[in-house]
Amino acid sequence: MNLQMFHKINTKTKAIPVFVFLLCFILISLTSHAQENTYTVVLDAGHGGHDPGKVGYKKLREKDIALKITLEVGKVLSKNKNIKVIYTRKTDKFVDLYKRGRIANKADADLFVSIHCNAHHTNAYGSETFVLGLHANKQNFAIAKAENSVILLEDNYEENYKGFDPNSPESVIGLTLMQEEYLDQSLQLASIVQSNFSNKLKRKNRGVKQAGFIVLHQTYMPSILIETGFITNRNEANFLNSKSGQSKFATNIAVGIEKYLKQLELNTVENIQINDDVKVDSDVVFKIQLASGSKKLETKSYNFKGLKGVERVKVGEFYKYYYGETSDFNKVKKHQETAREKGYSSAFIVAFKGGEKISVKKALKTP
């Protein structure tokens, strides 16, 4: 309703504008609420166009399988009214790696999921999921090298990637870990997807790994790269090339994404309604997670934008950095505000009970 229409109504009666105002207010509130619960997921089908990707059993091409699974994932996710799906490609076309990341960044996406197929000269098989990081071994580097070599097909790749050489281990090691602050969330999503592949789809679990994938390096949100299976393995290639196999892979990826987003929502403090005088068990402590990554940093204030009392905890092969430990939830909320004011925009509250990490929702005993 524009102002002129509102003015015309107002000149005829005083009752209608009040009703209209209230109705508009309610609609705006509902729209705002819906927006708060809407997530944008960017789905990236690997390769495409003049880049076939890996070629496997019976000349099966990675680009074709990746696209079919990706479109099916999007079809499943689109049934969820709280998820907006964006594709980096929906047809058989070539898209530069840096443009794939740009699409996700421009959309301010909540997740970036790149879907691929694996290949090997042996009869290797199974599924694995990657997050960005330094290659831990030659095998991981070889996989990243194969995927990153796509940039050699792009025009002006040296300019777009600042001299990055996909064939050089030193070049991969030199990647700036732009995604450091999103590593924890990326690992969480990757673990859920891998668990689905292993437990529900009965695929061999090759694990969650780190490698220097350029396509993940270009994004500024939690991102994963899925190697669904080996198209060089006869049995796996036939499964991946079947409608049934593609549907099962897509469903398990989509369900994994939805589960991750649900966990994210449950652990987002802004979505938890609490009283100011909330009480928690005496053995529950809250902390602010500032970052998570492979880098071992000294917990000096100069490494954390002036924040003092930062704690470093090693979890597996990674380090997590916490700030502001307290059993008072209202105090930890203030610590979160401080961290965000210092520049840690994605800093979030975590909870521990008896030394074990639990959800904030559970710690607050909210319904």
Side-chain angles (χ1 to χ4, degrees):
M1 177 181 292
N2 58 40
L3 292 176
Q4 288 181 335
M5 290 176 64
F6 186 86
H7 177 70
K8 288 179 181 178
I9 294 173
N10 192 42
T11 58
K12 293 181 179 180
T13 175
K14 294 183 181 297
I16 294 178
V18 173
F19 169 76
V20 172
F21 174 79
L22 290 174
L23 180 60
C24 290
F25 178 79
I26 292 171
L27 289 173
I28 291 171
S29 298
L30 289 173
T31 302
S32 175
H33 178 73
Q35 289 176 342
E36 289 176 357
N37 292 283
T38 298
Y39 298 96
T40 299
V41 177
V42 172
L43 299 177
D44 173 53
H47 308 279
H50 61 271
D51 169 30
K54 305 175 188 73
V55 179
Y57 177 69
K58 289 189 175 180
K59 305 298 182 181
L60 195 62
R61 299 180 301 187
E62 179 183 8
K63 69 171 185 176
D64 300 326
I65 301 300
L67 180 59
K68 289 176 182 178
I69 293 176
T70 299
L71 293 176
E72 191 66 27
V73 173
K75 190 182 296 184
V76 176
L77 290 178
S78 294
K79 295 177 183 178
N80 188 323
K81 63 181 180 179
N82 294 326
I83 297 178
K84 177 183 178 182
V85 176
I86 294 176
Y87 302 90
T88 58
R89 71 178 181 99
K90 296 179 71 175
T91 59
D92 182 20
K93 69 175 184 179
F94 181 77
V95 183
D96 295 341
L97 291 188
Y98 77 91
K99 289 182 180 178
R100 296 170 190 253
R102 183 180 294 174
I103 290 170
N105 295 335
K106 186 177 181 181
D108 193 24
D110 297 283
L111 283 180
F112 178 85
V113 178
S114 189
I115 297 174
H116 294 253
C117 300
N118 223 330
H120 202 261
H121 65 275
T122 67
N123 204 33
Y125 63 98
S127 303
E128 53 195 354
T129 305
F130 288 86
V131 299
L132 183 65
L134 305 182
H135 65 284
N137 54 43
K138 290 182 179 180
Q139 184 179 3
N140 287 10
F141 172 69
I143 295 171
K145 176 182 173 182
E147 299 293 357
N148 290 339
S149 64
V150 174
I151 70 172
L152 300 177
L153 301 176
E154 300 178 18
D155 296 329
N156 303 318
Y157 81 88
E158 290 183 345
E159 179 181 343
N160 292 331
Y161 301 99
K162 299 179 181 179
F164 176 83
D165 179 3
N167 297 310
S168 167
E170 291 76 18
S171 189
V172 174
I173 292 173
L175 283 175
T176 301
L177 205 56
M178 292 180 179
Q179 276 221 325
E180 194 82 6
E181 64 178 305
Y182 301 112
L183 182 58
D184 195 59
Q185 296 98 313
S186 299
L187 287 169
Q188 183 181 354
L189 173 61
S191 297
I192 293 172
V193 170
Q194 269 303 120
S195 177
N196 282 355
F197 289 161
S198 177
N199 298 326
K200 297 181 180 180
L201 200 50
K202 305 304 179 183
R203 298 288 96 186
K204 177 183 177 181
N205 187 1
R206 298 178 65 90
V208 173
K209 303 173 181 178
Q210 277 191 294
F213 291 101
I214 279 287
V215 71
L216 299 184
H217 182 258
Q218 303 297 308
T219 60
Y220 298 98
M221 71 282 304
S223 303
I224 63 172
L225 186 145
I226 299 169
E227 296 283 5
T228 51
F230 286 77
I231 56 175
T232 46
N233 178 288
R234 178 179 178 178
N235 292 332
E236 210 151 68
N238 286 332
F239 184 71
L240 284 165
N241 196 36
S242 68
K243 286 188 177 180
S244 174
Q246 292 163 11
S247 177
K248 289 177 180 179
F249 264 111
T251 298
N252 279 279
I253 293 171
V255 168
I257 291 172
E258 289 181 320
K259 182 177 180 179
Y260 165 83
L261 292 175
K262 185 65 176 178
Q263 290 182 359
L264 184 68
E265 190 171 272
L266 290 176
N267 286 286
T268 300
V269 175
E270 286 79 0
N271 291 334
I272 299 176
Q273 301 298 321
I274 60 170
N275 298 320
D276 290 336
D277 59 347
V278 62
K279 302 294 183 183
V280 297
D281 292 341
S282 58
D283 58 344
V284 170
V285 296
F286 300 100
K287 303 177 184 180
I288 301 300
Q289 183 165 318
L290 300 173
S292 175
S294 56
K295 297 178 182 176
K296 183 178 181 180
L297 299 174
E298 292 295 323
T299 55
K300 303 293 184 182
S301 60
Y302 56 74
N303 278 333
F304 295 92
K305 304 178 182 180
L307 293 176
K308 298 180 179 179
V310 173
E311 174 190 12
R312 182 185 67 226
V313 177
K314 189 173 184 181
V315 180
E317 297 299 317
F318 306 97
Y319 297 96
K320 295 187 178 183
Y321 297 91
Y322 300 114
Y323 162 73
E325 179 177 330
T326 177
S327 58
D328 187 325
F329 185 72
N330 291 309
K331 284 185 179 180
V332 84
K333 286 197 297 182
K334 292 180 180 179
H335 290 322
Q336 183 184 36
E337 291 175 6
T338 300
R340 289 180 172 177
E341 288 171 359
K342 290 287 187 179
Y344 291 97
S345 58
S346 63
F348 58 96
I349 298 173
V350 292
F352 295 86
K353 183 173 183 179
E356 296 294 324
K357 188 175 180 181
I358 61 173
S359 73
V360 175
K361 186 181 180 72
K362 184 175 180 181
L364 296 171
K365 299 180 179 179
T366 55

